[in-house]
Amino acid sequence: MTRAVASRSHMSEETESFIKELEAKHGEVEVVSSGSSLKFCLVTEGKADYYPRYAPIMGWDTGAGQAIVEAAGGKMSRYEDQERFYYNRENLLNGWFLVEMPEYKMNLTAKLSHGLAVFFCV
């Protein structure tokens, strides 16, 4: 089953549309509602496949999470051009993004990274 993690307080129409697209592609999708940076950890641990954030967010809310996901082999890409976010910019507002872990990495991460994710996310 495909799993997506989404914000409790920032569920946009675009996020709901993304989840419906996943359902059309993969069948049933479990949506896990979680707060703050825990969403990054759930993707890193393999407990979620996607984290769509289709609402603005500040860079200080995403920098550490992006580092954790990327260190585990996943990616966080900007909605508008699928490039990664870079920090220490004049404008600290991040736009929309998608966090995902490639399936082959997810299988490995599910086996090996529980301790890594707990280490980073506690």
Side-chain angles (χ1 to χ4, degrees), residues 27-51:
E28 187 176 352
V29 174
E30 178 185 1
V31 179
V32 178
S33 182
S34 178
S36 194
S37 62
L38 293 176
K39 292 181 281 294
F40 290 97
C41 295
L42 291 172
V43 173
T44 301
E45 283 186 88
K47 293 182 179 179
D49 303 302
Y50 301 96
Y51 166 27

Side-chain angles (χ1 to χ4, degrees), residues 34-95:
S34 178
S36 194
S37 62
L38 293 176
K39 292 181 281 294
F40 290 97
C41 295
L42 291 172
V43 173
T44 301
E45 283 186 88
K47 293 182 179 179
D49 303 302
Y50 301 96
Y51 166 27
R53 173 63 186 223
Y54 297 153
I57 190 169
M58 299 307 292
W60 55 75
D61 292 319
T62 61
Q66 180 176 350
I68 291 168
V69 168
E70 290 179 354
K75 69 178 187 174
M76 176 178 155
S77 54
R78 295 185 303 224
Y79 178 82
E80 65 271 12
D81 60 8
Q82 288 72 52
E83 295 294 324
R84 72 184 301 274
F85 279 105
Y86 291 93
Y87 295 89
N88 199 23
R89 305 179 316 257
E90 188 173 319
N91 181 356
L92 301 176
L93 185 66
N94 280 351

